[in-house]
């Protein structure tokens, strides 16, 4: 199978604004992938209902995420861009795969256990069967490659399990999807507070969003954790200082990074200057994406056409899969 024939699938939940981690961890690679693979990228609005049952802002979030996808370089003529809820075949397959998923294995899922701790008053069936819906998203297109982070690898393994169970019980329909990162090491963009990676749902002041205005970017960067500096030449950097240098590597010129590395090793580094430089480089990188997304968002008619056309293309492929599924299961009665 040629690269262009191999199907790549990925989605993002519209539960908040996209951030720098989304861009470098996913979007940047999606833009490369669309030229070499048959790509389906979707907005996972159904997934968001498991933790965000209030849907008042859902429409705005879906359109915002779509705008940032396009502003980052995704081209609807090169890839299929659609909203998850616009593809009813996904929910039909979700129903069938639920019959092949067992309560015990779903309860052991790391993300389920984590979410139960975070929202003990809202442990709904959708939260429990989240991996089944994710499997449906992937298998509905019979995708071969799925760009996933470490936290989603267990779900991808479960997708293979559900697909193989279906194949064993009803006949061969689904391939075994593999994790895919475009041949590069998966990037984890560190948060500004030195605790883990940037996140849509954790500390918002430690996360730089693609929608942040210039002053907000500067304010957040200047609050990044530092200390009084090294006291001995060539000292080992603390994690939170490593994080700042890692962020610089994403947006700053190599010679600037070399300068501050040398200053650190010589114990002459001024963290205020370092953060000011990082802040300006962040502003220069993010502001064009933000302004382009804002312009795209203002043309709501064009956005709706892109999502409708994407849903039609996705439905064509999904319906081929569901025809195979229904025939294999014996649900095609006439």
């Amino acid at each position: 199978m040629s690269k262009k024939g191999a199907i790549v699938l990925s989605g993002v939940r519209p539960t908040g604004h996209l951030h720098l981690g989304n861009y470098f961890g996913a979007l940047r690679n999606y833009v490369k992938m669309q030229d070499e693979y048959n790509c389906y990228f979707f907005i996972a609005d159904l997934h968001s209902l498991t933790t965000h049952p209030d849907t008042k802002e859902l429409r705005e979030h879906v359109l915002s995420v779509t705008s940032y996808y396009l502003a980052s370089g995704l081209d609807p003529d090169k890839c299929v861009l659609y909203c998850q809820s616009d593809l009813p075949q996904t929910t039909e397959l979700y129903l069938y795969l639920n019959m092949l998923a067992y309560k015990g294995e779903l309860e052991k899922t790391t993300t389920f256990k984590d979410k139960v701790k975070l929202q003990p008053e809202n442990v709904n069936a959708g939260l429990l069967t989240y991996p089944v819906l994710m499997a449906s998203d992937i298998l509905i297109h019979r995708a071969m490659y799925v760009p996933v982070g470490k936290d989603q690898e267990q779900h991808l393994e479960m997708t293979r399990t559900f697909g193989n169970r279906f194949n064993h019980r009803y006949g061969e329909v689904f391939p075994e999807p593999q994790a895919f990162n475009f041949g590069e090491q998966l990037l984890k963009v560190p948060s500004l507070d030195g605790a883990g990676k940037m996140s849509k749902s954790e500390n918002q002041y430690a996360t730089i969003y693609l929608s942040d205005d210039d002053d907000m970017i500067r304010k957040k960067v200047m609050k990044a954790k530092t200390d009084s500096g090294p006291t001995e030449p060539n000292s080992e950097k603390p994690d939170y200082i490593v994080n700042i240098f890692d962020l610089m590597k994403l947006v700053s010129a190599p010679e600037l990074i070399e300068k501050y590395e040398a200053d650190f090793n010589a114990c002459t580094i001024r963290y205020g200057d370092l953060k000011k430089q990082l802040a300006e480089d962040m502003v220069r990188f993010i502001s064009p994406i933000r302004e382009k997304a804002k312009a795209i968002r203002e043309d709501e008619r064009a956005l709706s056409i892109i999502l409708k056309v994407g849903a039609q293309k996705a439905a064509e492929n999904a319906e081929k899969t569901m025809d195979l599924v229904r025939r294999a299961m014996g649900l095609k009665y006439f």
Side-chain angles (χ1 to χ4, degrees):
M1 183 181 283
S2 69
K3 273 187 175 183
K4 196 61 187 171
I7 293 175
V8 172
L9 177 124
S10 189
V12 66
R13 298 200 319 161
T15 52
H17 296 291
L18 297 181
H19 54 71
L20 207 62
N22 296 130
Y23 180 84
F24 283 105
L27 277 173
R28 185 178 61 163
N29 279 344
Y30 292 176
V31 173
K32 296 177 190 171
M33 290 172 188
Q34 67 183 351
D35 288 320
E36 297 186 32
Y37 296 87
N38 187 1
C39 294
Y40 290 80
F41 299 123
F42 68 98
I43 318 301
D45 56 335
L46 298 179
H47 279 297
S48 71
L49 300 179
T50 60
T51 53
H52 291 69
D54 185 346
T55 58
K56 286 198 294 289
E57 296 181 336
L58 189 55
R59 180 178 183 274
E60 178 53 40
H61 286 165
V62 166
L63 295 176
S64 173
V65 169
T66 307
S67 301
Y68 276 95
Y69 265 21
L70 296 168
S72 298
L74 286 187
D75 182 345
D77 291 327
K78 294 180 179 180
C79 66
V80 178
L81 187 58
Y82 67 98
C83 190
Q84 186 185 29
S85 60
D86 284 337
L87 200 64
Q89 292 88 346
T90 301
T91 48
E92 183 183 353
L93 183 58
Y94 172 49
L95 174 67
Y96 301 152
L97 292 182
N98 268 317
M99 315 305 178
L100 298 167
Y102 301 109
K103 176 174 170 279
E105 67 186 343
L106 293 171
E107 286 175 334
K108 289 175 188 169
T109 311
T110 305
T111 49
F112 175 70
K113 290 189 281 190
D114 291 344
K115 289 289 193 295
V116 167
K117 287 175 192 167
L118 284 172
Q119 54 174 68
E121 302 305 313
N122 184 24
V123 184
N124 56 74
L127 195 63
L128 181 67
T129 60
Y130 186 103
V132 188
L133 183 54
M134 181 173 165
S136 304
D137 293 321
I138 297 165
L139 296 175
I140 197 67
H141 293 299
R142 286 169 285 159
M144 286 300 300
Y145 301 117
V146 185
V148 290
K150 280 282 177 197
D151 57 339
Q152 294 290 331
E153 283 181 352
Q154 186 180 24
H155 287 169
L156 188 56
E157 183 58 44
M158 293 176 85
T159 297
R160 288 192 285 268
T161 297
F162 301 145
N164 285 334
R165 274 185 200 154
F166 182 97
N167 292 344
H168 182 71
R169 185 173 295 182
Y170 299 114
E172 289 290 324
V173 171
F174 299 116
E176 284 200 349
Q178 305 299 315
F180 182 53
N181 60 14
F182 209 74
E184 298 173 8
Q185 187 139 12
L186 286 174
L187 264 177
K188 277 191 178 178
V189 177
S191 68
L192 292 168
D193 61 3
K197 62 178 183 176
M198 285 194 184
S199 166
K200 282 191 282 185
S201 56
E202 302 300 327
N203 182 356
Q204 296 191 0
Y205 282 96
T207 297
I208 295 177
Y209 297 98
L210 299 179
S211 58
D212 282 343
D213 63 35
D214 295 351
D215 287 342
M216 179 58 77
I217 294 169
R218 292 184 183 106
K219 188 175 176 182
K220 286 181 177 180
V221 172
M222 294 311 292
K223 283 189 172 182
K225 182 180 178 182
T226 53
D227 52 32
S228 56
T231 53
E232 293 181 14
N234 302 311
S235 300
E236 189 174 338
K237 295 188 189 78
D239 288 347
Y240 48 89
I241 300 299
V242 170
N243 284 353
I244 293 175
F245 275 92
D246 284 346
L247 288 168
M248 284 197 85
K249 287 172 188 172
L250 300 177
V251 295
S252 301
E255 59 270 20
L256 281 170
I257 299 166
E258 286 172 20
K259 174 210 177 310
Y260 285 108
E261 287 277 8
D263 288 351
F264 181 89
N265 290 332
C267 301
T268 58
I269 192 162
R270 294 162 60 97
Y271 285 133
D273 292 345
L274 172 68
K275 289 195 283 188
K276 279 179 189 168
Q277 182 67 55
L278 174 59
E280 293 312 312
D281 291 342
M282 282 288 179
V283 165
R284 193 175 65 253
F285 181 81
I286 288 172
S287 58
I289 298 173
R290 181 189 65 229
E291 296 310 311
K292 190 172 182 183
K294 199 181 290 184
I296 291 168
R297 175 64 190 89
E298 285 170 3
D299 192 347
E300 201 159 289
R301 186 172 177 276
L303 265 179
S304 71
I305 290 170
I306 286 168
L307 287 175
K308 281 176 187 171
V309 170
Q312 288 166 0
K313 289 178 183 176
E316 284 176 26
N317 193 53
E319 192 52 38
K320 289 176 189 172
T321 301
M322 287 313 301
D323 186 59
L324 293 173
V325 165
R326 297 179 200 119
R327 288 180 188 278
M329 294 180 73
L331 296 175
K332 194 93 171 175
Y333 300 128
F334 304 104

